[in-house]
Amino acid sequence: MKSFSRIACAAGFMFVMGAAVLHAQSQPESPAFADVSKVFNRYCVSCHSGPRPPEGLRLDTYKDVMSGARGTPVIVPKDPAKSELVRRIKGTGKPRMPKNGPPWLQDSETSLIEKWIAIGAPETGQAPQ
């Protein structure tokens, strides 16, 4: 019986460690626009691109994201809580995005965007100084 307990404990440990490794791999240490762009492409770009996106907000290029909606920023670098984009995807700002949801963004996707904004919303993997 002790052998079974040791095997079960070891299997549980390996499962937890594997989950931690997968989570670490899915969350870049210093996310760049290329990382969050994958999320935008999955949920947002179908509406927020092209010549006449809603509220003038395009999310298909870094420059467009940083330009915001009709000249009003939707990203406040280093402050995810003040970023309208974060409020909308979390549902604390209205309307919740994506407008055709659910499905909403996964927690890991929201966390990635928040982390990107928290380090300054860099275009590349290096946070601005």
Side-chain angles (χ1 to χ4, degrees):
M1 193 63 161
K2 286 184 182 180
S3 297
F4 179 74
S5 294
R6 286 184 187 144
I7 292 170
C9 186
F13 176 77
M14 290 172 35
F15 175 77
V16 169
M17 292 306 294
V21 168
L22 286 175
H23 178 71
Q25 289 174 345
S26 68
Q27 291 281 324
E29 193 170 309
S30 295
F33 180 72
D35 301 306
V36 298
S37 179
K38 293 173 188 172
V39 178
F40 294 157
N41 286 333
R42 181 172 179 197
Y43 295 97
C44 313
V45 170
S46 62
C47 293
H48 289 281
S49 63
R52 294 176 23 193
E55 303 302 318
L57 177 62
R58 289 185 60 167
L59 297 173
D60 48 347
T61 70
Y62 179 78
K63 180 182 173 195
D64 289 328
V65 171
M66 299 313 286
S67 294
R70 297 193 175 143
T72 302
V74 295
I75 301 285
V76 179
K78 298 193 178 194
D79 199 343
K82 289 185 179 175
S83 297
E84 187 62 25
L85 181 88
V86 172
R87 290 197 291 262
R88 297 287 180 101
I89 63 177
K90 287 182 135 185
T92 58
K94 301 296 179 204
R96 184 168 186 179
M97 293 290 154
K99 203 167 190 173
N100 62 350
W104 310 113
L105 277 69
Q106 296 174 17
D107 290 343
S108 62
E109 294 165 324
T110 301
S111 177
L112 175 70
I113 292 169
E114 288 177 303
K115 186 175 185 178
W116 174 67
I117 293 170
I119 66 167
E123 185 171 8
T124 64
Q126 300 298 315
Q129 301 301 320

